[in-house]
């Protein structure tokens, strides 16, 4: 996945479930194409096939399990996500935390299957720990700011700056994103100025009255950063 990137996590919001997931993904895809800014979407597992068939931008799973296909009833195999059209997966999101050995297991299995990984971390310390596992991207998201509209990039800039530094010290190939409370292009611009290579965002786009206007504003932050 190309960076800088805006990844929109649909979580389980009704505004981004089923047909709403398709409509929102199409709007994000159109704005991404018009602006030339990379974007990706992470719908619920059951919506991956529906969404991936309708958009050209990368579709990510929100989670996969570190299991081999076969006798694993109720678990989500990386293979099934890929077959449905996902090109990558989030892992260890604050709302779906895993022990570190399982994060490593997901990253390893995703690699075997050819899925990119975006591992979430709560702070600089966890970002550093996860960097040792070498996912493709790490998204640092202080849990207390998630869904609040209080942007990490402006409220806790040190978390973004320090996480970027810590991850790059371990492995400069890992891309570092940030998220939590991001709702405007200005929040995104600030994140990029702090060294982030993109954002992971949910409510600011998904729950907006006008989802298309919201993603346009978010993406304008990346465009502004590229003009500096
Ligand atoms: O995965 C994105 C996320 O947890 C941030 O959520 O609603 O604060 O943009 P939100």
């Amino acid at each position: 996945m190309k960076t800088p990137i805006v990844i929109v996590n649909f979580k389980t919001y009704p505004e981004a479930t089923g047909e709403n997931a398709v409509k929102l993904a199409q709007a994000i895809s159109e704005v991404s194409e018009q602006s030339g800014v990379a974007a990706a979407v992470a719908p619920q597992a059951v919506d991956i096939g529906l969404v991936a068939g309708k958009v050209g931008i990368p579709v990510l799973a929100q989670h996969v399990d570190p299991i081999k296909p076969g006798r694993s009833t109720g678990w989500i195999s990386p293979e099934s996500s890929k077959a449905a059209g996902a090109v990558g997966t989030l892992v260890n999101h604050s709302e779906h935390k895993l022990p570190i050995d399982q994060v490593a297991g997901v990253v390893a299995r995703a690699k075997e299957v050819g899925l990119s990984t975006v591992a979430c971390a709560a702070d600089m310390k966890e970002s550093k720990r996860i960097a040792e596992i070498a996912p493709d991207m790490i998204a640092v998201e202080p849990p207390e700011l998630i869904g609040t509209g209080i942007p990490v990039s402006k409220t806790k800039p040190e978390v973004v700056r320090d996480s970027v530094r810590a991850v790059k010290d371990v492995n400069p190939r890992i891309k570092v994103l940030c998220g939590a409370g991001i709702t405007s292009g200005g929040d995104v611009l600030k994140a990029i100025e702090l060294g982030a290579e993109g954002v992971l965002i949910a409510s600011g786009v998904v729950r907006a009255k006008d989802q298309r206007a919201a993603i346009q504003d978010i993406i304008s932050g990346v465009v502004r950063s590229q003009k500096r």
Side-chain angles (χ1 to χ4, degrees), residues 7 9 11 13 90 93-95 120 141 145-149 179-183 200-205:
I7 302 178
N9 178 3
K11 303 200 173 182
Y13 287 123
L90 306 181
H93 190 277
S94 167
E95 292 147 15
C120 300
E141 299 196 322
L145 297 180
I146 291 178
T148 62
I182 303 269
T183 61
L200 180 57
I201 175 171
S203 53
V205 170

